[in-house]
Amino acid sequence: KIYNRIKGISSPLRQTAYDLKDKFSSSYLSKQIDIMLKMQSENPTEAIGKAKELIESCCKTILEDNKIQWDKNWDVGQLAGETIKHLKLTPHDIPETVPAATEMKAILGNLRAIATNIAALRNPYGSGHGKSASYKGLEERHAKLAVGSAITFVVFLWDTHERSGTNEVSV
């Protein structure tokens, strides 16, 4: 395990991504997660594109599960914003009486920015758009940042979505 972590073959986020595959129970999303993880080192451009697609798929699935209509023309930021609003994860949803309310509000205030900025990174450096012959992509470390951020974002949204059927506070 230690050797694999040093070589970048395994990581805590890799296991979290595999856990997501079980949660989604979707062969499409499972394949996308596998491709995203594999491409971090082999093709960072593809990994960055898949990170954006994972966020998009998660938000669409949550909205669909809750019978909330979304516009097919929405960008990732709009999908994420609507999902975050539905899950009551906006800074306005945090009562001042919650311990560390200020810190939680600050973190939640940046939550949508993760989705928006990964999508913005994908435009010049991810898959989905043709590149010229002189294109120079980003490095593996950039792909790992995008993939890790996307996984963390999606796990937080999905875990909140799963809890939304209970009477527990979402925070």
Side-chain angles (χ1 to χ4, degrees), residues 145-160:
L145 176 63
V147 168
S149 297
I151 290 169
T152 301
F153 177 84
V154 167
V155 167
F156 185 70
L157 290 187
W158 196 260
D159 287 350
T160 303

Side-chain angles (χ1 to χ4, degrees), residues 11 13-14 17 20 33 35-41 43-44 46-52 54-55 118 121 140-154:
S11 72
L13 280 177
R14 183 174 293 272
L20 266 179
I33 290 169
I35 292 168
M36 179 182 69
L37 293 172
K38 182 178 183 198
M39 292 295 128
Q40 289 177 110
S41 59
N43 186 340
E46 187 69 26
I48 291 167
K50 294 296 181 200
K52 176 253 180 196
L54 177 64
I55 291 171
I118 288 176
L121 181 67
E140 179 180 353
R141 66 191 176 102
H142 300 106
K144 286 181 175 180
L145 176 63
V147 168
S149 297
I151 290 169
T152 301
F153 177 84
V154 167

Side-chain angles (χ1 to χ4, degrees), residues 109-125:
N110 292 309
L111 195 57
R112 181 177 174 180
I114 293 170
T116 301
N117 288 321
I118 288 176
L121 181 67
R122 175 230 173 229
N123 288 335
Y125 292 109

Side-chain angles (χ1 to χ4, degrees), residues 17-30:
Y18 290 142
D19 294 345
L20 266 179
K21 290 169 46 171
D22 292 334
K23 289 181 181 191
F24 281 128
S25 301
S26 160
S27 61
Y28 167 76
L29 286 173
S30 290

Side-chain angles (χ1 to χ4, degrees), residues 115-139:
T116 301
N117 288 321
I118 288 176
L121 181 67
R122 175 230 173 229
N123 288 335
Y125 292 109
S127 60
H129 295 290
K131 312 285 189 239
S132 72
S134 63
Y135 171 72
K136 300 281 188 249
L138 295 178
E139 299 172 17

Side-chain angles (χ1 to χ4, degrees), residues 2-170:
I2 293 171
Y3 173 78
N4 287 342
R5 283 190 69 191
I6 292 169
K7 294 294 287 175
I9 298 168
S10 71
S11 72
L13 280 177
R14 183 174 293 272
Q15 184 57 51
T16 302
Y18 290 142
D19 294 345
L20 266 179
K21 290 169 46 171
D22 292 334
K23 289 181 181 191
F24 281 128
S25 301
S26 160
S27 61
Y28 167 76
L29 286 173
S30 290
K31 288 176 189 171
Q32 297 305 306
I33 290 169
D34 287 339
I35 292 168
M36 179 182 69
L37 293 172
K38 182 178 183 198
M39 292 295 128
Q40 289 177 110
S41 59
E42 293 179 20
N43 186 340
T45 298
E46 187 69 26
I48 291 167
K50 294 296 181 200
K52 176 253 180 196
E53 290 175 25
L54 177 64
I55 291 171
E56 190 173 25
S57 293
C58 174
C59 290
K60 287 178 178 180
T61 302
I62 291 171
L63 293 173
E64 191 175 276
D65 283 356
N66 289 281
K67 305 199 180 354
I68 296 171
Q69 294 292 317
W70 47 271
D71 188 317
K72 66 177 181 153
N73 295 316
W74 282 356
D75 63 23
V76 174
Q78 290 169 303
L79 279 168
E82 189 63 29
T83 306
I84 289 165
K85 185 172 82 176
H86 169 72
L87 294 174
K88 296 183 177 20
L89 292 173
T90 70
H92 303 289
D93 294 314
I94 308 301
E96 291 298 330
T97 56
V98 171
T102 302
E103 293 79 5
M104 286 299 296
K105 287 178 182 220
I107 292 169
L108 292 176
N110 292 309
L111 195 57
R112 181 177 174 180
I114 293 170
T116 301
N117 288 321
I118 288 176
L121 181 67
R122 175 230 173 229
N123 288 335
Y125 292 109
S127 60
H129 295 290
K131 312 285 189 239
S132 72
S134 63
Y135 171 72
K136 300 281 188 249
L138 295 178
E139 299 172 17
E140 179 180 353
R141 66 191 176 102
H142 300 106
K144 286 181 175 180
L145 176 63
V147 168
S149 297
I151 290 169
T152 301
F153 177 84
V154 167
V155 167
F156 185 70
L157 290 187
W158 196 260
D159 287 350
T160 303
H161 170 60
E162 289 181 328
R163 291 177 64 143
S164 65
T166 70
N167 291 327
E168 297 180 49
V169 176
S170 293

